Amino acid sequence: MAKKQPQTKAKRPQLTDGEIPVVGAREPCPCGSGRRYKACHGRAASHAVTELVQRPFEGLPGEGDWVALRELVPAATVELPLKGGLPEGVPSVTLATVLPMAWPALRRDDGSVLLGLQNDTASGDISRDLADTLQRALEAAPGSPVQGRRAPAEAPRLQDLLEPEGAFEPVVHSGFEFWVPDAENATPDVAASLERANAAAIPTVRLTGVDAAYWCETPDKNHLRWVMPHPEERLLDALARLHAAGRSSLGEGTRLVGSFRAHGLIVPVWDLPSGVGAEEIEKPAAEFAERLAGALASDEPLTAEERRARGGLTNRQVTLS
């Protein structure tokens, strides 16, 4: 009988990290290690897309308004300029606070793109997820929505796709009629959907004299919510200086009640009497901006009273993201 030939194992080709494709988390890693992908090269890729980016909109024009539209404003739109201009067949790209059915994006029949901002994202980098959705919307068939997904770890971010010098000028709407090209002639189902959405929208107005400040109306009282770009510790010190000096209000019957922390920025909040509208708060807000600039410029240590004021503001701070 012929002897059995000894079996030899073929040597696996060695792949460099840059050549490792993405496969299912429980599948063998393509690098040949014998381990599952999620326990091998998938670990770094997973970490890259899940690590929380504290300020996802940093570097974009209007960072404060991006935060406000993501967290505070019910209905608003902004035209987005792309680097290199719009692709052929895409007449416009518009950022919207929310889209019908909570779609991440929508390519309209005319080829224009709507990108939704107030959606859950799959990774810790909202900018990367939104950029991935935008790129897929630009290539989608007209008349179709775009579903969400986890963006690849090396995918571009909004900062890579949007024109860095373009103005960011939100238009705040009283309702969601911008969802449809001709809201007045909408079908009964669409009209009913718009009516429900509009009923839930809190009346909101963007101030014109200062950046990223939004007045809103609630049944009991009105509020001003102001997204500020200053470093958190320095801003809290400045607010404490003004609060301790009795200079943190926006006029009679108003008071600074606390702040949000959202996407790496601080959002001070004032209570306003129900009779104070957005126009009436424009001048007091501009005057407060001047007082705040002076307080931010101070390097003096906080006094005992200012430290107490700072502690009170910190205790009333809520983190939204």
Side-chain angles (χ1 to χ4, degrees):
M1 295 179 62
K3 293 183 178 180
K4 292 184 178 178
Q5 296 294 325
Q7 294 182 348
T8 58
K9 293 184 178 180
K11 188 175 181 180
R12 294 176 180 268
Q14 296 299 309
L15 302 178
T16 65
D17 285 353
E19 298 173 332
I20 305 298
V22 176
V23 299
R26 302 177 68 85
E27 295 180 32
C29 187
C31 75
S33 67
R35 291 181 294 172
R36 290 178 177 176
Y37 178 71
K38 70 175 183 178
C40 192
H41 280 81
R43 296 176 65 180
S46 176
H47 179 73
V49 296
T50 58
E51 186 176 9
L52 179 64
V53 176
Q54 296 292 340
R55 289 180 63 176
F57 307 117
E58 185 176 15
L60 292 172
E63 180 186 6
D65 285 304
W66 277 91
V67 172
L69 268 57
R70 167 77 181 183
E71 299 294 343
L72 306 174
V73 181
T77 55
V78 191
E79 295 297 312
L80 296 180
L82 304 185
K83 286 183 179 179
L86 296 169
E88 185 178 355
V90 180
S92 63
V93 174
T94 302
L95 180 73
T97 47
V98 67
L99 295 178
M101 307 296 292
W103 286 325
L106 173 66
R107 183 85 184 273
R108 282 179 159 165
D109 290 337
D110 66 354
S112 60
V113 168
L114 288 176
L115 177 66
L117 183 57
Q118 295 180 12
N119 290 302
D120 293 334
T121 53
S123 79
D125 188 351
I126 298 171
S127 178
R128 195 180 307 281
D129 287 333
L130 286 171
D132 177 69
T133 301
L134 173 57
Q135 284 188 310
R136 291 185 292 119
L138 292 171
E139 299 174 354
S144 60
V146 176
Q147 302 300 327
R149 72 172 187 182
R150 179 185 291 248
E154 274 77 41
R157 307 176 74 237
L158 287 173
Q159 289 82 346
D160 303 314
L161 302 183
L162 301 183
E163 176 58 52
E165 303 301 327
F168 192 83
E169 299 178 351
V171 177
V172 178
H173 303 277
S174 60
F176 295 91
E177 282 74 17
F178 64 85
W179 282 354
V180 292
D182 187 5
E184 293 184 357
N185 296 316
T187 64
D189 288 345
V190 171
S193 178
L194 282 173
E195 185 177 355
R196 289 192 298 270
N198 290 346
I202 297 174
T204 301
V205 177
R206 181 176 182 254
L207 299 194
T208 60
V210 295
D211 292 333
Y214 290 80
W215 171 94
C216 67
E217 180 183 19
T218 62
D220 297 328
K221 61 185 70 174
N222 299 340
H223 305 280
L224 182 72
R225 301 179 290 189
W226 191 342
V227 187
M228 296 187 172
H230 317 290
E232 178 175 343
E233 297 303 316
R234 196 167 191 85
L235 175 59
L236 289 174
D237 282 352
L239 291 173
R241 295 181 198 278
L242 296 176
H243 202 60
R247 305 180 67 209
S248 64
S249 76
L250 298 175
E252 184 178 356
T254 73
R255 67 189 185 101
L256 175 64
V257 293
S259 63
F260 299 112
R261 181 191 291 111
H263 306 293
L265 299 184
I266 299 299
V267 188
V269 178
W270 285 262
D271 278 353
L272 312 174
S274 58
V276 174
E279 291 185 0
E280 287 86 355
I281 213 66
E282 287 276 9
K283 183 178 178 181
E287 294 170 346
F288 178 85
E290 294 181 1
R291 298 197 299 273
L292 180 63
L296 286 166
S298 175
D299 290 322
E300 293 294 322
L302 296 181
T303 66
E305 187 176 359
E306 289 168 347
R307 288 197 299 271
R308 285 192 294 271
R310 192 186 195 281
L313 291 172
T314 303
N315 290 337
R316 296 194 297 271
Q317 188 177 80
V318 177
T319 299
L320 297 183
S321 58

